[in-house]
Amino acid sequence: MTALAFAEGTAPSVALVDVLLPDELAGLALVRSLARRPGCAVVAMSVRGGLRRAALAAGAIAFVEKSGDVDALLDAVRAAAAPPPV
């Protein structure tokens, strides 16, 4: 089952996407597709920090480098899951 098919069946509120899996083009396409889904916030991650701009342009609300602190990843996922301010 692909990640997109899984998302269609489960309607996640947050998706954590490794932009390089399986490759950069497919990862960014997945970010774009998931970001278009109502109620799905996308947090992108990669070992390549240079992908930050492309991931955010594709619709991710946050980008985290894999070499960074695990707390930064957790903070990004928690922020993505938080309800928007009223």
Side-chain angles (χ1 to χ4, degrees):
M1 175 179 284
T2 68
L4 193 53
F6 183 73
E8 289 172 0
T10 60
S13 58
V14 177
L16 179 61
V17 177
D18 185 327
V19 180
L20 292 177
L21 292 179
D23 58 58
E24 181 179 335
L25 291 177
L28 290 172
L30 178 60
V31 170
R32 271 190 292 284
S33 294
L34 291 171
R36 285 189 212 118
R37 298 183 59 78
C40 184
V42 179
V43 175
M45 66 179 187
S46 179
V47 296
R48 290 181 39 206
L51 289 172
R52 175 183 308 275
R53 185 176 300 192
L56 295 174
I61 64 162
F63 180 90
V64 180
E65 290 188 44
K66 283 183 166 182
S67 62
D69 183 37
V70 70
D71 288 328
L73 174 64
L74 294 173
D75 289 345
V77 171
R78 287 182 186 121
V86 187

